[in-house]
Amino acid sequence: MGFRAMVCHRFSKLVLLSAAFISLVVNAAPWPDGAKIAVTLTFDLDAETIWWNDADTMTGNPGSLSYGTYGPKVAVPKILALLEKHDVRATFFIPSWVAEQYPDAVRSIAAAGHEIGAHGVRHVSPLQLTPEQEAATFSESVRVLDRIAGKRPVGYRAPSWAVSNATLKLAARAGFLYSSNMMDADDPYIHNDPPGLVELPVSWVLDDAPYFWFDEDSWNKTIHSAASVKAIWQEEFEAAYHGSGYLNLTMHPQIIGRPARLLMLDEFIGWMKRHEGVWLTTGSAVAVYVRGQQGRSP
Ligand SMILES: [Zn+2]
């Protein structure tokens, strides 16, 4: 895996991994105010970009595309109301094409105090782009989100978590503070290459899509009940609460925004908040904190 510096918060140590797997405990770093766990609720607002048959022409089946429309049109206002009810700030990763199509939705998200992160332009996988094309998407998405949301994004989630060999370096070069794409850790950590880029790791088990995203082409995906997913996420929370101390949920408004699923999310957030020492916050808040812990003495 090469040399990499990782700041592991819950276990209060800085572990330096080399080819010889030498580790060194140098730091004590609990979450702010003695919190036992940091939880980030993230929403990838993909809108119609997932259902295009052709991203260049942006054409597709109107019925399928309407599922994407459900996100900004129906789900976002309900999600914002739910987050407001719980007084929780979340993170929305938004392709810049979506921001241009639905500027009012983006402004309402920003106005409510939530973070807006970058998520490509038209949700094209970076694996399909040359480094030059990928660099151009970083530039365009930052420029558009800055203009519409009134703030430059500092967090980057690649479309479909599809990270190319160039992605992380390009993200750092574009000035991003953190990435939320990798599955090689439970805790946030700091990349050694590119140096300083914070990673907020993700996991399929903490994503709504594997459970709820029906595949209309193959019909080979089963839709799960909201209750069964709540049980899984509660298990994950309990394990993280007593273990790693970090939970990063990836959700999609067009998926989690269905009425019964939002009811589940409402109950799940309320249930988490009843635990002592839960820091429900944005990705940028966690990343800033993690970056601030780098190199601190015990
Ligand atoms: Zn997406």
Side-chain angles (χ1 to χ4, degrees):
M1 72 186 280
F3 188 89
R4 168 175 284 182
M6 306 173 76
V7 178
C8 300
H9 288 263
R10 183 58 183 158
F11 295 112
S12 303
K13 63 190 177 185
L14 173 64
V15 180
L16 300 176
L17 294 178
S18 70
F21 296 100
I22 300 168
S23 64
L24 178 64
V25 178
V26 297
N27 198 14
W31 292 116
D33 300 324
K36 295 180 179 180
I37 188 170
V39 177
T40 43
L41 305 177
T42 71
F43 299 88
D44 297 356
L45 183 59
D46 300 320
E48 294 88 354
T49 60
I50 303 292
W51 286 271
W52 287 326
N53 293 332
D54 184 336
D56 290 331
T57 60
M58 296 178 285
T59 54
N61 174 341
S64 298
L65 291 170
S66 71
Y67 184 32
T69 308
Y70 186 92
K73 179 182 175 184
V74 178
V76 165
K78 292 183 177 180
I79 291 169
L80 292 181
L82 173 60
L83 295 172
E84 192 59 39
K85 169 186 167 185
H86 288 286
D87 193 22
V88 168
R89 304 283 89 78
T91 301
F92 290 73
F93 294 101
I94 306 178
S96 61
W97 180 89
V98 174
E100 290 185 301
Q101 298 303 308
Y102 300 99
D104 290 344
V106 174
R107 290 189 195 104
S108 67
I109 292 167
H114 303 293
E115 177 190 0
I116 291 176
H119 197 44
V121 175
R122 296 184 185 181
H123 208 278
V124 175
S125 167
L127 301 176
Q128 299 174 11
L129 302 175
T130 66
E132 291 74 23
Q133 291 172 324
E134 193 176 357
T137 66
F138 273 108
S139 301
E140 181 174 352
S141 64
V142 167
R143 179 171 47 78
V144 171
L145 292 179
D146 191 356
R147 172 170 55 81
I148 295 176
K151 196 172 183 182
R152 184 185 174 92
V154 299
Y156 177 65
R157 175 166 289 158
S160 308
W161 296 333
V163 176
S164 77
N165 289 328
T167 297
L168 298 182
K169 286 187 176 66
L170 291 172
R173 197 177 303 160
F176 281 86
L177 168 65
Y178 75 93
S179 148
S180 184
N181 296 292
M182 308 301 282
M183 302 191 191
D184 56 351
D186 298 320
D187 289 336
Y189 63 89
I190 299 176
H191 289 274
N192 186 56
D193 183 20
L197 184 70
V198 177
E199 183 65 41
L200 304 184
V202 296
S203 168
W204 283 115
V205 75
L206 294 171
D207 188 316
D208 59 359
Y211 309 111
F212 297 134
W213 193 329
F214 182 68
D215 185 337
E216 63 187 27
D217 294 323
S218 68
W219 281 59
N220 66 3
K221 281 186 65 177
T222 304
I223 293 176
H224 293 244
S225 73
S228 69
V229 176
K230 185 173 75 170
I232 293 170
W233 287 356
Q234 285 179 327
E235 291 171 356
E236 292 292 318
F237 175 90
E238 289 283 10
Y241 186 76
H242 297 290
S244 70
Y246 182 58
L247 196 81
N248 187 20
L249 277 174
T250 298
M251 296 171 281
H252 303 76
Q254 76 271 19
I255 296 174
I256 200 71
R258 297 285 312 171
R261 296 168 188 167
L262 269 190
L263 189 59
M264 178 274 281
L265 182 61
D266 185 5
E267 294 170 354
F268 180 57
I269 294 173
W271 176 84
M272 286 193 292
K273 288 179 68 179
R274 287 195 289 277
H275 290 70
E276 191 180 335
V278 178
W279 187 34
L280 269 155
T281 190
T282 61
S284 61
V286 172
V288 165
Y289 182 77
V290 169
R291 178 78 81 83
Q293 295 299 310
Q294 186 179 30
R296 277 183 49 172
S297 301

